[in-house]
Structures are given as C-alpha cells and as structure tokens.
C-alpha cells in the first residue's frame, strides 16, 4: 500500500501547521492527532478537531485514512477545541455539589435561615424523606459515574463545567432553601400524596438504573461501538419497545415524583427545565439512531411513547 503525505492547515487562517510524510494508509485519525501533537505539544489529542473541510464536521478518532475521500496527498484542517476536562471529572463535580448543598440547607447551617433555626430539624417527616430521596438520587449518580457509565467521548470543553455546575448547584440551593425552610408546609393531600410520590420516585430510579446497566452492556470496555438497544429480561427495560432514550423518561418520572412529594414550585421548575433539555438530547440521539441503523425500530419515540 502506498504511503500518504498529509498537510494540516489552520481552519481559520489556512496557515500550514504541520506536514506529515510517509503516513500509513491504515492510520487512524487518532494516530494522526498523536503525530500532530508531537509537532505542537500545546494541542494534545483531546483538544484537536481534525476535519476535511474548514467548516465541516470533526472526523472521528477511529476513522481510517484510506477510507476517507482523500488521495495520496491530503489536506486536513485543524481547529482548537480549547482546554478539555474528562467527563468523569465533570459528572463527579456536577453531582457532588447538589448533594452537599442540599444537606447544608437540611441541617440548617448558620447564615441560611434566622439564627434561632441554626441546626434545628423540621417537624414534618416529608422534609426528612425528601432529603433521603434527593441524597439517594445524587449518590446513585456518583456511583454510576464511577462504576457503570462508559463514555463515547473522553473529554468535554473545560468552560462547560462552569455552566453545568451553575445549573445543578443553583437549582439544588433553590429547591433546598424552600423545602427545608422553617415555614415549609407539607403537601395538600398529606400522607397519601407523599406515599404515591415516593412509589413513583423509587420506581423511576430503579428503571433509570436498569437502563444504564443495559446501555453499559451494549458497549465492551474501551470500545466506542454503537448498537441498537433492545429490551432485556429486566421488565424495566421493556420500555425500549416504545422509547429511544428511556433513561431520560425515567429521570423525568423521578423528578415528577419528587415534585409531587414536596409540592414545591422550584422543584417543578427544575423538572420542567430538565424535561426540555432531556427532550433536546433524546431527539438528537433518536435522529442519530435512525441515521446510523436502517433497521431501527420505527415504533419508537425519543422520550415519551407516541407523543414526543
């Protein structure tokens, strides 16, 4: 096989940044990024976007040179993605914040409420139940990040962590302030409403975890392989028959349960904003599945069966 010659230009200025000679035709984009990194140490592979057109899409690390529409002499374009941070670090930071912040309000540490309420406890059992549910949710997320999730992308732009943390930490503080407030009043329909909400919350938490396990089992360790997810023997995964992203469906259900349990407006608003964002993600994944797999089940909706 004939060796290739590659030149890499800046996508914005079109200046030549690097020339690679005698590159094996079976070299991957990931390997080309490593070669480029040797010439420009400030741009480590995760920070690089390599593309065939200055305004085109980034090539995948696993793309092979000889399978791309280029000749023996090829031109690629480089764009700096900025400083990167691992997804694991992002998730751990995002989820630790709400866990700690909520508990600060629950224990009523000084300077949050009036001094006479410092380190006092609520007289309403639903407040304690809500704290256990909220803490359980984020501990579950932390453990899943460490032991369950397999990420197709290793990093994300560092700047995104500030936006994400503002969202999660800010909403956690807003919700916790009112739920743990000394003047908080329990839900209108009392124990019946709270018990129903708890059942919904726990059911959806188990369902969400079941979907994460099913998705994990689709991808071998260290692989970026994508497959169509199908229901397993676990009944919580049978929703795959109707929905492309049931992890988001169950996540929505969990927060609807928490909203019903606390009857708190900030929780309802967080649930609404989360639903809008998860719908955007679900639609994107659904389109990706349809584009990638010709035999993708046509009955599935992105997030809500037959609706959305």
């Amino acid at each position: 096989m004939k060796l290739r010659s590659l030149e890499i230009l800046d996508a914005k200025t079109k200046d030549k940044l690097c020339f690679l000679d005698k590159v094996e035709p079976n070299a991957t984009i990931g390997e080309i990024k490593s070669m480029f990194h040797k010439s420009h140490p400030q741009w480590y592979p995760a920070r690089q976007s390599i593309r065939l057109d200055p305004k085109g899409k980034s090539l995948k690390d696993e793309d092979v040179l000889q399978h791309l529409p280029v000749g023996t002499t090829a031109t690629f374009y480089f764009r700096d993605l900025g400083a990167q941070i691992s997804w694991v670090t992002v998730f751990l930071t995002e989820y630790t914040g709400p866990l700690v912040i909520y508990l600060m309000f629950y224990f009523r540490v000084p300077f949050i409420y009036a001094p006479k309420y410092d380190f006092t406890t609520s007289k309403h059992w639903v407040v304690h139940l809500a704290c256990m549910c909220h803490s359980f949710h984020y501990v579950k997320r932390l453990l899943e990040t460490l032991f369950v999730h397999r990420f197709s992308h290793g990093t994300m732009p560092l700047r995104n962590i500030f936006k994400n943390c503002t969202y999660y930490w800010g909403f956690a503080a807003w919700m916790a302030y009112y739920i743990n407030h000394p003047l908080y009043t329990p839900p209108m329909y009392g124990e019946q409403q709270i018990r129903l909400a708890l059942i919904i919350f726990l059911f959806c938490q188990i369902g969400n975890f079941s979907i994460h396990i099913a998705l994990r089992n689709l991808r071998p360790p260290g692989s970026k392989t994508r497959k169509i997810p199908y229901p397993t023997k676990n009944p919580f995964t049978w929703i795959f028959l109707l929905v492309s992203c049931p992890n988001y469906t169950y996540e929505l259900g969990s927060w609807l349960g928490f909203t019903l349990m606390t009857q708190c407006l900030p929780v309802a608003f967080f649930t609404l904003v989360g639903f809008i964002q998860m719908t955007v993600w679900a639609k994107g994944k659904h389109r990706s599945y349809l584009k990638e797999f010709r035999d993708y089940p046509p009955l599935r909706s992105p997030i809500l069966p037959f609706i959305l």
Side-chain angles (χ1 to χ4, degrees), residues 41-56:
Q42 72 273 29
W43 293 319
Y44 44 89
R47 188 167 179 159
Q48 301 173 31
S49 169
I50 302 294
R51 51 192 74 183
L52 293 172
D53 183 87
K55 297 182 180 179

Side-chain angles (χ1 to χ4, degrees), residues 5 14 26 65 124 146 165 172 186 211 219 233 258 278 306:
S5 297
K14 308 301 187 295
N26 58 356
L65 183 58
H124 304 299
L146 292 172
C165 286
I211 298 301
R219 178 175 293 161
K233 294 179 180 180
F258 196 71
M278 286 187 291
F306 310 114

Side-chain angles (χ1 to χ4, degrees), residues 2-7 20-32 35 50 52 59-76:
K2 196 170 182 179
L3 299 178
R4 311 293 175 94
S5 297
L6 312 177
E7 64 173 359
L20 302 174
D21 195 20
K22 298 180 180 180
V23 179
E24 293 286 345
N26 58 356
T28 63
I29 293 300
E31 291 169 341
I32 292 172
M35 298 176 198
I50 302 294
L52 293 172
L59 296 171
K60 298 177 182 178
D61 284 355
E62 57 268 26
D63 286 340
V64 180
L65 183 58
Q66 64 183 355
H67 296 155
L68 298 174
V70 296
T72 54
T73 301
T75 299
F76 290 98

Side-chain angles (χ1 to χ4, degrees), residues 31-42:
E31 291 169 341
I32 292 172
K33 285 182 178 181
S34 297
M35 298 176 198
F36 181 69
H37 179 229
K38 292 179 181 179
S39 300
H40 298 276
Q42 72 273 29

Side-chain angles (χ1 to χ4, degrees), residues 136-155:
F136 173 82
H137 176 74
Y138 281 103
V139 168
K140 167 184 165 291
R141 283 193 170 191
L142 289 168
L143 293 175
E144 286 176 336
T145 299
L146 292 172
F147 303 111
V148 177
H149 293 319
R150 288 174 178 159
F151 302 98
S152 56
H153 300 287
T155 64

Side-chain angles (χ1 to χ4, degrees), residues 11 46 81 127 251 254:
L81 297 176
V127 172
E251 182 75 8
S254 294

Side-chain angles (χ1 to χ4, degrees), residues 206-254:
I206 296 170
N208 180 265
F209 177 73
S210 299
I211 298 301
H212 286 161
I213 291 295
L215 292 174
R216 179 184 188 273
N217 292 337
L218 281 179
R219 178 175 293 161
S223 168
K224 295 184 179 181
T225 303
R226 281 169 57 88
K227 300 177 183 177
I228 299 176
Y230 286 104
T232 67
K233 294 179 180 180
N234 183 343
F236 286 97
T237 67
W238 295 352
I239 192 175
F240 268 126
L241 294 170
L242 302 174
V243 172
S244 291
C245 302
N247 51 322
Y248 297 148
T249 310
Y250 282 124
E251 182 75 8
L252 172 63
S254 294

